[in-house]
Amino acid sequence: MPIIQILAIAASLLFLLYIGRQIIKGKLREEYSFVWIFSTIVLLIFSFWRDGLEIVAHALGVYQAPNLVFTAAIFIILVYLLHLSKVASRLHQQNKTLSQELALLKEKVEKNSKETAN
Amino acid sequence: MDKIAVIIPAYNEETSIAAVVADVHKASKESGLHYWPVVVNDCSKDRTGQIIAALECTAIQLPINLGIGGAVQTGFKYALLNGYTHAVQVDGDGQHPPGELKKLYQKMKAEGIDVMIGSRFVEGEGRGFQSSLMRRLGINYFKRLNKLLVGVVVHDSTSGLRMHNAKALQVVGDYYPDEYPEPEAVILYVKNGLKIGEVQVEMLERQGGVSSIDGVRSVYFMAKVTMAVLFTFIRLTFR
């Protein structure tokens, strides 16, 4: 087994382990971990099955196998970035509503405590 | 009697805010109308928060910076929750003289209008502060864009001096844009069946602070607001 293959397998396994740990520690929510687990498994499959990439590329009619990797990877990254932008937009909206409610409540509480003090 | 909340969004306005609040009280006495200043401190970095807490006004302190639209909307929500019949936005930098509010109120009551905009350009070249050429070009562009989309002419679509009645407050309390909200809000009003009016007012040059729109940011402003106007139009047309 060539060194690069061993390295690839080790790196993929370590990455998978790291994702698992983050979920267990509550630092990564499950819904965001799927895409990472899925991509790591794909990497792992192609690390073991060296001819796989050539076979899949040939079957899809791609002449240069690495081009398939780049095209697929960039596409998946773009889709995931869009998803993250959507998450950020939702958080922004929730943040805004929360701070407005908080400021209005704070005003009410302060007014009440002033009135009782008088 | 109608209760009118005067919403003053303030971001780093420590030099001018006390004068604006005092002007509101003075205008209330002079006009015999019930104005009450509601200052929304948009998480200022200077002493604005401490200053307004000691003034005779409602002081709303936002815990994070929301931008002008988010701050004004907080004021709209306050007005709705506290039984105000009207709410008007007056900038914290002293550009909008509260003495002019009576004109807005009287005209909107007389003509049954839901949103009354204080404008610098209704009667052609008005008096008072007229803004820079670049800004006027932008205002003209939004006038045409709004006319094209909803068929309503608002001469000064970037003017923040706007009085809303309770019906209009329901709409803007529910949704109001974050940044540069004024041109987009025009679409919002029309698409929700609100009647818009415009009345000539005199504005002053800012007394303190710096404009949020200059140079490179004006390009961003035009692009962002055009996008927002178009998407709001599409969203409300096909809902």
Side-chain angles (χ1 to χ4, degrees):
Chain A
M1 199 182 267
I3 289 175
I4 184 65
Q5 199 173 359
I6 296 165
L7 277 177
I9 292 168
S12 303
L13 283 174
L14 274 174
F15 194 57
L16 205 58
L17 206 69
Y18 178 72
I19 294 165
R21 263 182 70 85
Q22 296 304 306
I23 299 172
I24 291 163
K25 280 165 48 183
K27 286 189 176 172
L28 182 67
R29 289 177 63 87
E30 288 85 347
E31 61 256 46
Y32 302 127
S33 66
F34 288 137
V35 66
W36 299 114
I37 292 173
F38 176 75
S39 11
T40 317
I41 288 171
V42 171
L43 276 178
L44 212 52
I45 290 170
F46 285 107
S47 307
F48 278 110
W49 183 34
R50 290 204 80 192
D51 304 327
L53 188 61
E54 290 288 344
I55 293 165
V56 173
H58 189 74
L60 290 172
V62 178
Y63 295 113
Q64 300 279 322
N67 283 345
L68 178 67
V69 176
F70 286 123
T71 311
I74 291 170
F75 178 70
I76 291 168
I77 289 168
L78 280 178
V79 170
Y80 195 61
L81 278 178
L82 179 67
H83 169 71
L84 289 183
S85 298
K86 275 173 64 186
V87 172
S89 303
R90 198 183 66 223
L91 286 174
H92 178 95
Q93 181 57 38
Q94 289 171 339
N95 231 336
K96 178 176 138 186
T97 312
L98 267 176
S99 42
Q100 286 181 332
E101 297 277 315
L102 177 67
L104 290 170
L105 270 178
K106 212 161 66 181
E107 192 276 333
K108 210 172 184 176
V109 169
E110 257 157 40
K111 199 164 69 187
N112 278 346
S113 64
K114 251 183 222 165
E115 273 166 15
T116 37
N118 286 336
Chain B
M1 195 162 80
D2 283 341
K3 280 169 71 186
I4 304 165
V6 179
I7 298 163
I8 308 165
Y11 180 65
N12 296 346
E13 307 279 12
E14 63 179 4
T15 52
S16 54
I17 194 69
V20 176
V21 170
D23 280 351
V24 171
H25 288 302
K26 193 171 141 235
S28 182
K29 239 176 243 153
E30 283 172 3
S31 63
L33 294 169
H34 179 66
Y35 301 144
W36 182 253
V38 177
V39 186
V40 185
N41 172 25
D42 195 8
C43 206
S44 296
K45 294 191 187 84
D46 64 3
R47 297 182 58 250
T48 304
Q50 289 145 268
I51 291 170
I52 63 168
L55 292 174
E56 198 194 342
C57 67
T58 295
I60 298 173
Q61 313 274 9
L62 286 169
I64 55 173
N65 182 271
L66 294 183
I68 179 83
V72 172
Q73 193 190 29
T74 313
F76 292 149
K77 286 182 176 175
Y78 176 84
L80 273 173
L81 288 169
N82 291 277
Y84 286 88
T85 55
H86 295 75
V88 60
Q89 179 190 338
V90 163
D91 283 353
D93 57 15
Q95 275 199 85
H96 304 146
E100 301 284 276
L101 293 179
K102 196 178 179 181
K103 285 187 198 165
L104 271 73
Y105 176 75
Q106 284 174 336
K107 195 167 184 214
M108 78 188 287
K109 285 296 263 192
E111 297 176 12
I113 280 164
D114 301 306
V115 183
M116 184 58 80
I117 301 172
S119 164
R120 285 162 288 187
F121 313 113
V122 181
E123 295 153 8
E125 291 290 299
R127 290 169 301 149
F129 178 56
Q130 291 289 308
S131 191
S132 65
L133 175 70
M134 270 303 283
R135 178 98 185 217
R136 286 217 300 277
L137 282 176
I139 288 167
N140 210 3
Y141 163 70
F142 287 118
K143 182 174 96 180
R144 284 162 200 274
L145 185 63
N146 278 333
K147 191 182 167 197
L148 182 76
L149 292 175
V150 292
V152 170
V153 176
V154 174
H155 293 93
D156 198 353
S157 61
T158 63
S159 162
L161 185 67
R162 292 170 173 202
M163 193 177 286
H164 300 75
N165 67 7
K167 189 177 159 199
L169 279 177
Q170 291 287 351
V171 172
V172 288
D174 194 46
Y175 171 80
Y176 201 66
D178 286 338
E179 282 181 298
Y180 319 121
E182 290 87 5
E184 187 186 341
V186 171
I187 305 278
L188 203 65
Y189 301 143
V190 178
K191 285 286 170 187
N192 282 288
L194 300 172
K195 269 182 79 180
I196 307 178
E198 229 177 341
V199 64
Q200 178 80 24
V201 294
E202 253 181 75
M203 290 194 194
L204 305 170
E205 215 150 342
R206 57 182 57 253
Q207 289 167 8
V210 284
S211 172
S212 53
I213 300 165
D214 55 352
V216 184
R217 293 186 76 171
S218 66
V219 177
Y220 170 70
F221 165 75
M222 297 284 282
K224 152 100 212 250
V225 178
T226 302
M227 284 267 285
V229 165
L230 288 175
F231 279 110
T232 300
F233 173 76
I234 293 166
R235 180 167 60 86
L236 296 177
T237 304
F238 302 102
R239 68 181 157 181

